[in-house]
Amino acid sequence: MTLLTRRPWLAVAAVLVTAVLLGHSRLPGGVGTVVESFLPWFGLLIIPLALLRSVWALLPAVTWAAMFGAFWVGQGPGGDHDLRVVSQNVKAFNSEPLALNRKLVSLKADVVALEEITTGTRTLDRAYPHTERLGTVGVWSRYPISGVRRIDLGLGWTRALSATLTTPKGPVTIYVAHLGSARPGATRGRDTSLAHLASALHADDSRRLILLGDLNTASTDTRFTELPLDDAQSTAGWGFGFTWPSAFPVTRPDHVLYRGVTPTTASVVTTPGSDHRAVTADFRL
């Protein structure tokens, strides 16, 4: 008997898992978004195939390793950095705003970006000499901020801004964004806001640019590639860097993206009171 006829269901299962991994971009609408948001977790389906000593486990295992193995190979170059950035979705009506702000200050970042701001930020205001806030997003900086402008995401209220930082090594453009939500069968707000943000980034000719925010889009989501920037976690971090939900993260909607600068490290930080973990990255300018 051949391998296929002895236990055909193992072959079918292996092929289905492999098909999802390779063909996730072809899945329709909200279903595709959900699958792509949790795509790395499909690797768990390989375990029972392996435990059953099925040779068919090799098919999805090799596919998964080819797609995601690089996340676990190593980290960025490390060493000295010129700019440390942090981004945090603080959660509307955060129950521990003081503790959260103190935690963010303790990270000793040069730039802190917040999304979904509804509570006080006095601790950050005292720690940073320069701050700008538009709608529910804001940026706190050790360096002077200029050229602040609202970025229209097509959502009807302000959830994104851009500004220029004047650092000792020259200007750096900072974007802070909180894209629309993406839920099963309801991704229109996210898709619209992502398209608006991508358009703004394509039109921006800044040589050095960093985007911080809750993009409600995993790096495994097909729509993520519309943003013309590189991902600091993929380049300089280790692992998938999941950020949501904070108690047991299973996906990564929060990102630090860049161009024209060199990431040296990237990581995720647990913070109090929010349903998101913070993301941080160091850059050489």
Side-chain angles (χ1 to χ4, degrees):
M1 297 176 67
T2 67
L3 291 172
L4 180 59
T5 56
R6 276 206 306 263
R7 291 190 290 184
W9 62 274
L10 291 178
V12 172
V15 170
L16 285 176
V17 173
T18 304
V20 171
L21 289 171
L22 293 177
H24 60 88
S25 63
R26 297 181 179 274
L27 295 173
V31 173
T33 298
V34 172
V35 170
E36 290 185 317
S37 296
F38 302 99
L39 195 63
W41 292 96
F42 276 76
L44 295 178
L45 299 177
I46 302 169
I47 296 176
L49 294 174
L51 291 176
L52 290 170
R53 298 181 180 180
S54 171
V55 69
W56 287 100
L58 290 173
L59 182 62
V62 170
T63 302
W64 190 94
M67 294 175 65
F68 303 118
F71 285 91
W72 303 93
V73 171
Q75 289 182 291
D80 294 338
H81 65 274
D82 303 306
L83 190 72
R84 173 170 293 170
V85 300
V86 171
S87 176
Q88 171 77 73
N89 179 320
V90 300
K91 184 184 179 181
F93 307 107
N94 184 295
S95 60
E96 301 178 67
L98 180 58
L100 173 63
N101 288 342
R102 285 175 173 170
K103 177 65 176 182
L104 294 174
V105 170
S106 75
L107 299 178
K108 299 181 179 180
D110 300 295
V111 178
V112 176
L114 300 185
E115 307 88 46
E116 209 168 292
I117 306 170
T118 58
T119 54
T121 58
R122 184 175 301 176
T123 302
L124 282 174
D125 295 341
R126 289 174 176 172
Y128 288 89
H130 309 282
T131 180
E132 292 288 345
R133 177 174 166 179
L134 292 177
T136 56
V137 296
V139 58
W140 284 256
S141 172
R142 300 194 190 281
Y143 305 121
I145 303 172
S146 62
V148 179
R149 65 187 181 98
R150 172 181 176 269
I151 303 299
D152 179 15
L153 296 180
L155 297 173
W157 71 98
T158 302
R159 286 170 51 137
L161 64 80
S162 71
T164 299
L165 304 181
T166 302
T167 78
K169 292 196 173 182
V172 179
T173 298
I174 295 289
Y175 278 68
V176 182
H178 184 194
L179 300 189
S181 297
R183 298 182 176 89
T187 63
R188 180 176 297 179
R190 191 285 307 273
D191 295 346
T192 297
S193 56
L194 190 149
H196 278 68
L197 178 59
S199 178
L201 292 169
H202 278 292
D204 193 318
D205 61 0
S206 301
R207 184 171 67 89
R208 297 187 292 195
L209 187 151
I210 299 173
L211 166 62
L212 305 161
D214 174 5
L215 306 183
N216 277 313
T217 309
S219 57
T220 45
D221 192 310
T222 303
R223 299 297 302 268
F224 190 75
T225 59
E226 296 178 22
L227 300 172
L229 303 173
D230 293 317
D231 177 16
Q233 177 65 25
S234 298
T235 306
W238 186 79
F240 295 118
F242 295 145
T243 62
W244 183 90
S246 58
F248 186 83
V250 294
T251 189
R252 183 184 174 90
D254 307 278
H255 299 278
V256 179
L257 308 182
Y258 68 93
R259 75 167 182 240
V261 292
T262 302
T264 58
T265 62
S267 60
V268 174
V269 180
T270 303
T271 52
S274 176
D275 55 343
H276 290 245
R277 295 188 180 185
V279 289
T280 179
D282 292 345
F283 293 97
R284 281 199 291 266
L285 304 181

